[in-house]
Amino acid sequence: MVRSAKARTALSSTSDPLRLAILISGRGSNMATIARECLERRINARVAVVISNKPGVAGLPTAQQMGLRTQVVPSSGVGREDFEKALTATLDEHAPDLVILAGFMRVLTAPFVRHYSGRMINIHPSLLPKYTGLHTHQRVLDAGDTEHGATVHFVTPELDGGPLILQSRVPVKTADSEATLAARVQATEHVIYPRVIAWIADKRLDWNGGRPLLDGKHLTQPVVEDFP
Ligand code: GRF
């Protein structure tokens, strides 16, 4: 990964802190969790910018209260090409080592994704490759599945289709509603997403041209962690 000169003085550490750009479209609970882990130096990284494609979302004041720089790059009423051009320009101003999609509700085009190839990760609320797309919790309930979870993966042009890194697995309980299941899964997201970022910051995880290596071993399957 390319490291920027700016990052080198930000934290005293044995290696340079990773510069993060976090993209949100809503509440930003994953963003806030990741930012807190960085501010409290449990991850050797710092949040260079939080970007929302929607003005007025709850994640923006949350980020500002944490002392983070925020920017809005509006997507509404803007063509896809113009939006991505503006997003690229804003992102590149901050020279991120890693772009983190955290509830960012825009489908990204292949050229945009390729620009950040190996430097962009996402969290999706399902045990990928099951349930790509939206409304995952209700679809899991409708199918009568007994387990569900979340997945952190590298982003490739295929929607929710890049190499899988880490999954949280939770039981689906008979009394579950969409809301209770979503809450159980989201609590696990706040554990697994910072963990993957720490792996990258500590150089334990590498994109390796699309065949990710964790601690020197190929990740042919995601690492799976069980939660109650
Ligand atoms: C999370 O459930 C994540 O899996 C999905 O969008 C949601 C974002 O939540 N991609 P938050 O904005 O981080 O609270």
PDB file of all heavy atoms in Angstrom, residues 24-31 101-105 122-125 137 150 185-186 189-190, ligand 1:
ATOM      1  N   ILE A  24     -19.754   7.026   4.330  1.00  0.00           N
ATOM      2  CA  ILE A  24     -21.010   6.689   5.006  1.00  0.00           C
ATOM      3  C   ILE A  24     -22.208   7.258   4.222  1.00  0.00           C
ATOM      4  O   ILE A  24     -22.043   8.142   3.388  1.00  0.00           O
ATOM      5  CB  ILE A  24     -21.042   7.236   6.459  1.00  0.00           C
ATOM      6  CG1 ILE A  24     -20.983   8.777   6.472  1.00  0.00           C
ATOM      7  CG2 ILE A  24     -19.917   6.650   7.295  1.00  0.00           C
ATOM      8  CD1 ILE A  24     -21.288   9.398   7.832  1.00  0.00           C
ATOM      9  N   SER A  25     -23.387   6.728   4.589  1.00  0.00           N
ATOM     10  CA  SER A  25     -24.632   7.309   4.037  1.00  0.00           C
ATOM     11  C   SER A  25     -25.685   7.450   5.132  1.00  0.00           C
ATOM     12  O   SER A  25     -26.839   7.742   4.811  1.00  0.00           O
ATOM     13  CB  SER A  25     -25.223   6.408   2.947  1.00  0.00           C
ATOM     14  OG  SER A  25     -24.326   6.198   1.900  1.00  0.00           O
ATOM     15  N   GLY A  26     -25.329   7.178   6.377  1.00  0.00           N
ATOM     16  CA  GLY A  26     -26.392   7.145   7.388  1.00  0.00           C
ATOM     17  C   GLY A  26     -25.895   7.344   8.798  1.00  0.00           C
ATOM     18  O   GLY A  26     -25.139   8.272   9.087  1.00  0.00           O
ATOM     19  N   ARG A  27     -26.259   6.394   9.646  1.00  0.00           N
ATOM     20  CA  ARG A  27     -26.035   6.543  11.089  1.00  0.00           C
ATOM     21  C   ARG A  27     -24.557   6.577  11.471  1.00  0.00           C
ATOM     22  O   ARG A  27     -24.149   7.265  12.401  1.00  0.00           O
ATOM     23  CB  ARG A  27     -26.733   5.366  11.788  1.00  0.00           C
ATOM     24  CG  ARG A  27     -26.629   5.409  13.283  1.00  0.00           C
ATOM     25  CD  ARG A  27     -27.533   4.374  13.875  1.00  0.00           C
ATOM     26  NE  ARG A  27     -27.293   3.059  13.265  1.00  0.00           N
ATOM     27  CZ  ARG A  27     -27.669   1.926  13.832  1.00  0.00           C
ATOM     28  NH1 ARG A  27     -28.305   1.928  14.975  1.00  0.00           N
ATOM     29  NH2 ARG A  27     -27.431   0.774  13.236  1.00  0.00           N
ATOM     30  N   GLY A  28     -23.771   5.764  10.807  1.00  0.00           N
ATOM     31  CA  GLY A  28     -22.327   5.815  11.037  1.00  0.00           C
ATOM     32  C   GLY A  28     -21.857   5.141  12.302  1.00  0.00           C
ATOM     33  O   GLY A  28     -20.815   5.518  12.854  1.00  0.00           O
ATOM     34  N   SER A  29     -22.561   4.096  12.742  1.00  0.00           N
ATOM     35  CA  SER A  29     -22.089   3.438  13.970  1.00  0.00           C
ATOM     36  C   SER A  29     -20.783   2.682  13.733  1.00  0.00           C
ATOM     37  O   SER A  29     -19.910   2.645  14.608  1.00  0.00           O
ATOM     38  CB  SER A  29     -23.165   2.512  14.556  1.00  0.00           C
ATOM     39  OG  SER A  29     -23.356   1.389  13.737  1.00  0.00           O
ATOM     40  N   ASN A  30     -20.624   2.091  12.553  1.00  0.00           N
ATOM     41  CA  ASN A  30     -19.335   1.441  12.259  1.00  0.00           C
ATOM     42  C   ASN A  30     -18.225   2.481  12.168  1.00  0.00           C
ATOM     43  O   ASN A  30     -17.127   2.283  12.705  1.00  0.00           O
ATOM     44  CB  ASN A  30     -19.424   0.645  10.958  1.00  0.00           C
ATOM     45  CG  ASN A  30     -20.087  -0.705  11.149  1.00  0.00           C
ATOM     46  OD1 ASN A  30     -19.491  -1.615  11.717  1.00  0.00           O
ATOM     47  ND2 ASN A  30     -21.331  -0.823  10.719  1.00  0.00           N
ATOM     48  N   MET A  31     -18.514   3.595  11.487  1.00  0.00           N
ATOM     49  CA  MET A  31     -17.529   4.680  11.382  1.00  0.00           C
ATOM     50  C   MET A  31     -17.065   5.124  12.771  1.00  0.00           C
ATOM     51  O   MET A  31     -15.864   5.260  13.032  1.00  0.00           O
ATOM     52  CB  MET A  31     -18.165   5.849  10.606  1.00  0.00           C
ATOM     53  CG  MET A  31     -17.348   7.108  10.494  1.00  0.00           C
ATOM     54  SD  MET A  31     -17.449   8.177  11.942  1.00  0.00           S
ATOM     55  CE  MET A  31     -19.196   8.571  11.992  1.00  0.00           C
ATOM     56  N   LEU A 101     -15.812   1.441   3.315  1.00  0.00           N
ATOM     57  CA  LEU A 101     -17.242   1.654   3.074  1.00  0.00           C
ATOM     58  C   LEU A 101     -17.973   1.184   4.327  1.00  0.00           C
ATOM     59  O   LEU A 101     -17.880   0.010   4.704  1.00  0.00           O
ATOM     60  CB  LEU A 101     -17.709   0.858   1.850  1.00  0.00           C
ATOM     61  CG  LEU A 101     -16.919   1.082   0.547  1.00  0.00           C
ATOM     62  CD1 LEU A 101     -17.548   0.286  -0.596  1.00  0.00           C
ATOM     63  CD2 LEU A 101     -16.844   2.557   0.185  1.00  0.00           C
ATOM     64  N   ALA A 102     -18.680   2.095   4.962  1.00  0.00           N
ATOM     65  CA  ALA A 102     -19.340   1.761   6.230  1.00  0.00           C
ATOM     66  C   ALA A 102     -20.788   2.232   6.146  1.00  0.00           C
ATOM     67  O   ALA A 102     -21.119   3.341   6.537  1.00  0.00           O
ATOM     68  CB  ALA A 102     -18.604   2.423   7.395  1.00  0.00           C
ATOM     69  N   GLY A 103     -21.621   1.380   5.547  1.00  0.00           N
ATOM     70  CA  GLY A 103     -23.002   1.778   5.333  1.00  0.00           C
ATOM     71  C   GLY A 103     -23.113   2.805   4.229  1.00  0.00           C
ATOM     72  O   GLY A 103     -23.965   3.677   4.269  1.00  0.00           O
ATOM     73  N   PHE A 104     -22.258   2.680   3.224  1.00  0.00           N
ATOM     74  CA  PHE A 104     -22.259   3.606   2.083  1.00  0.00           C
ATOM     75  C   PHE A 104     -23.184   3.019   1.025  1.00  0.00           C
ATOM     76  O   PHE A 104     -22.885   1.965   0.456  1.00  0.00           O
ATOM     77  CB  PHE A 104     -20.839   3.769   1.544  1.00  0.00           C
ATOM     78  CG  PHE A 104     -20.721   4.795   0.461  1.00  0.00           C
ATOM     79  CD1 PHE A 104     -20.929   6.135   0.736  1.00  0.00           C
ATOM     80  CD2 PHE A 104     -20.392   4.426  -0.838  1.00  0.00           C
ATOM     81  CE1 PHE A 104     -20.818   7.097  -0.270  1.00  0.00           C
ATOM     82  CE2 PHE A 104     -20.269   5.367  -1.845  1.00  0.00           C
ATOM     83  CZ  PHE A 104     -20.485   6.712  -1.552  1.00  0.00           C
ATOM     84  N   MET A 105     -24.327   3.691   0.807  1.00  0.00           N
ATOM     85  CA  MET A 105     -25.405   3.077   0.041  1.00  0.00           C
ATOM     86  C   MET A 105     -25.406   3.515  -1.427  1.00  0.00           C
ATOM     87  O   MET A 105     -26.414   3.967  -1.954  1.00  0.00           O
ATOM     88  CB  MET A 105     -26.754   3.400   0.696  1.00  0.00           C
ATOM     89  CG  MET A 105     -26.849   2.962   2.147  1.00  0.00           C
ATOM     90  SD  MET A 105     -26.561   1.197   2.364  1.00  0.00           S
ATOM     91  CE  MET A 105     -28.122   0.574   1.777  1.00  0.00           C
ATOM     92  N   ASN A 122     -15.317  -3.327   2.571  1.00  0.00           N
ATOM     93  CA  ASN A 122     -16.738  -3.093   2.863  1.00  0.00           C
ATOM     94  C   ASN A 122     -17.179  -4.079   3.937  1.00  0.00           C
ATOM     95  O   ASN A 122     -16.568  -5.134   4.113  1.00  0.00           O
ATOM     96  CB  ASN A 122     -17.557  -3.335   1.584  1.00  0.00           C
ATOM     97  CG  ASN A 122     -19.037  -3.075   1.785  1.00  0.00           C
ATOM     98  OD1 ASN A 122     -19.432  -2.092   2.425  1.00  0.00           O
ATOM     99  ND2 ASN A 122     -19.881  -3.949   1.256  1.00  0.00           N
ATOM    100  N   ILE A 123     -18.250  -3.689   4.645  1.00  0.00           N
ATOM    101  CA  ILE A 123     -18.893  -4.664   5.538  1.00  0.00           C
ATOM    102  C   ILE A 123     -20.309  -4.856   5.042  1.00  0.00           C
ATOM    103  O   ILE A 123     -21.009  -3.892   4.711  1.00  0.00           O
ATOM    104  CB  ILE A 123     -18.844  -4.234   7.016  1.00  0.00           C
ATOM    105  CG1 ILE A 123     -19.298  -5.396   7.907  1.00  0.00           C
ATOM    106  CG2 ILE A 123     -19.650  -2.966   7.291  1.00  0.00           C
ATOM    107  CD1 ILE A 123     -18.760  -5.343   9.316  1.00  0.00           C
ATOM    108  N   HIS A 124     -20.711  -6.121   4.975  1.00  0.00           N
ATOM    109  CA  HIS A 124     -22.039  -6.453   4.462  1.00  0.00           C
ATOM    110  C   HIS A 124     -22.754  -7.311   5.503  1.00  0.00           C
ATOM    111  O   HIS A 124     -22.162  -8.254   6.042  1.00  0.00           O
ATOM    112  CB  HIS A 124     -21.913  -7.218   3.139  1.00  0.00           C
ATOM    113  CG  HIS A 124     -23.244  -7.565   2.553  1.00  0.00           C
ATOM    114  ND1 HIS A 124     -24.029  -6.636   1.902  1.00  0.00           N
ATOM    115  CD2 HIS A 124     -23.955  -8.716   2.560  1.00  0.00           C
ATOM    116  CE1 HIS A 124     -25.160  -7.212   1.527  1.00  0.00           C
ATOM    117  NE2 HIS A 124     -25.133  -8.470   1.917  1.00  0.00           N
ATOM    118  N   PRO A 125     -24.043  -7.005   5.776  1.00  0.00           N
ATOM    119  CA  PRO A 125     -24.731  -7.732   6.841  1.00  0.00           C
ATOM    120  C   PRO A 125     -25.302  -9.072   6.407  1.00  0.00           C
ATOM    121  O   PRO A 125     -26.523  -9.299   6.443  1.00  0.00           O
ATOM    122  CB  PRO A 125     -25.832  -6.743   7.265  1.00  0.00           C
ATOM    123  CG  PRO A 125     -26.143  -5.989   6.015  1.00  0.00           C
ATOM    124  CD  PRO A 125     -24.844  -5.897   5.246  1.00  0.00           C
ATOM    125  N   HIS A 137     -31.586  -9.175   6.614  1.00  0.00           N
ATOM    126  CA  HIS A 137     -32.094  -9.781   7.858  1.00  0.00           C
ATOM    127  C   HIS A 137     -33.477 -10.412   7.618  1.00  0.00           C
ATOM    128  O   HIS A 137     -33.731 -11.542   8.035  1.00  0.00           O
ATOM    129  CB  HIS A 137     -32.155  -8.729   8.972  1.00  0.00           C
ATOM    130  CG  HIS A 137     -30.875  -7.957   9.110  1.00  0.00           C
ATOM    131  ND1 HIS A 137     -29.678  -8.572   9.412  1.00  0.00           N
ATOM    132  CD2 HIS A 137     -30.600  -6.639   8.940  1.00  0.00           C
ATOM    133  CE1 HIS A 137     -28.719  -7.649   9.443  1.00  0.00           C
ATOM    134  NE2 HIS A 137     -29.257  -6.475   9.158  1.00  0.00           N
ATOM    135  N   ALA A 150     -22.246 -11.202   9.515  1.00  0.00           N
ATOM    136  CA  ALA A 150     -21.740 -10.086   8.715  1.00  0.00           C
ATOM    137  C   ALA A 150     -20.389 -10.497   8.136  1.00  0.00           C
ATOM    138  O   ALA A 150     -19.705 -11.377   8.679  1.00  0.00           O
ATOM    139  CB  ALA A 150     -21.582  -8.840   9.577  1.00  0.00           C
ATOM    140  N   VAL A 185     -26.596  -8.696  14.790  1.00  0.00           N
ATOM    141  CA  VAL A 185     -25.545  -8.718  13.756  1.00  0.00           C
ATOM    142  C   VAL A 185     -24.704  -7.439  13.839  1.00  0.00           C
ATOM    143  O   VAL A 185     -23.477  -7.482  13.779  1.00  0.00           O
ATOM    144  CB  VAL A 185     -26.167  -8.879  12.347  1.00  0.00           C
ATOM    145  CG1 VAL A 185     -25.122  -8.636  11.263  1.00  0.00           C
ATOM    146  CG2 VAL A 185     -26.774 -10.262  12.200  1.00  0.00           C
ATOM    147  N   GLN A 186     -25.384  -6.303  14.021  1.00  0.00           N
ATOM    148  CA  GLN A 186     -24.610  -5.060  13.987  1.00  0.00           C
ATOM    149  C   GLN A 186     -23.612  -4.978  15.142  1.00  0.00           C
ATOM    150  O   GLN A 186     -22.511  -4.461  14.971  1.00  0.00           O
ATOM    151  CB  GLN A 186     -25.495  -3.828  13.952  1.00  0.00           C
ATOM    152  CG  GLN A 186     -24.604  -2.617  13.652  1.00  0.00           C
ATOM    153  CD  GLN A 186     -25.303  -1.453  13.037  1.00  0.00           C
ATOM    154  OE1 GLN A 186     -26.265  -0.974  13.603  1.00  0.00           O
ATOM    155  NE2 GLN A 186     -24.836  -0.986  11.898  1.00  0.00           N
ATOM    156  N   GLU A 189     -20.562  -6.457  13.990  1.00  0.00           N
ATOM    157  CA  GLU A 189     -19.837  -5.659  12.988  1.00  0.00           C
ATOM    158  C   GLU A 189     -18.811  -4.759  13.674  1.00  0.00           C
ATOM    159  O   GLU A 189     -17.720  -4.531  13.157  1.00  0.00           O
ATOM    160  CB  GLU A 189     -20.813  -4.794  12.181  1.00  0.00           C
ATOM    161  CG  GLU A 189     -21.780  -5.602  11.332  1.00  0.00           C
ATOM    162  CD  GLU A 189     -22.715  -4.726  10.513  1.00  0.00           C
ATOM    163  OE1 GLU A 189     -22.607  -3.495  10.556  1.00  0.00           O
ATOM    164  OE2 GLU A 189     -23.564  -5.293   9.812  1.00  0.00           O
ATOM    165  N   HIS A 190     -19.208  -4.275  14.848  1.00  0.00           N
ATOM    166  CA  HIS A 190     -18.334  -3.342  15.566  1.00  0.00           C
ATOM    167  C   HIS A 190     -17.100  -4.036  16.141  1.00  0.00           C
ATOM    168  O   HIS A 190     -16.184  -3.378  16.632  1.00  0.00           O
ATOM    169  CB  HIS A 190     -19.129  -2.631  16.666  1.00  0.00           C
ATOM    170  CG  HIS A 190     -20.270  -1.824  16.114  1.00  0.00           C
ATOM    171  ND1 HIS A 190     -21.314  -1.383  16.866  1.00  0.00           N
ATOM    172  CD2 HIS A 190     -20.514  -1.388  14.838  1.00  0.00           C
ATOM    173  CE1 HIS A 190     -22.171  -0.707  16.100  1.00  0.00           C
ATOM    174  NE2 HIS A 190     -21.696  -0.706  14.869  1.00  0.00           N
TER     175      HIS A 190
HETATM  176  C1  GRF B   1     -24.353  -1.942   8.529  1.00  0.00           C
HETATM  177  O1  GRF B   1     -25.286  -2.882   8.951  1.00  0.00           O
HETATM  178  C2  GRF B   1     -23.521  -2.501   7.422  1.00  0.00           C
HETATM  179  O2  GRF B   1     -23.402  -3.878   7.453  1.00  0.00           O
HETATM  180  C3  GRF B   1     -24.266  -2.092   6.193  1.00  0.00           C
HETATM  181  O3  GRF B   1     -24.833  -0.842   6.512  1.00  0.00           O
HETATM  182  C4  GRF B   1     -25.005  -0.735   7.898  1.00  0.00           C
HETATM  183  C5  GRF B   1     -24.368   0.550   8.333  1.00  0.00           C
HETATM  184  O4  GRF B   1     -24.648   0.878   9.647  1.00  0.00           O
HETATM  185  N1  GRF B   1     -23.383  -2.070   5.061  1.00  0.00           N
HETATM  186  P1  GRF B   1     -23.933   2.122  10.321  1.00  0.00           P
HETATM  187  O5  GRF B   1     -24.254   3.340   9.454  1.00  0.00           O
HETATM  188  O6  GRF B   1     -22.475   1.843  10.390  1.00  0.00           O
HETATM  189  O7  GRF B   1     -24.587   2.256  11.661  1.00  0.00           O
END
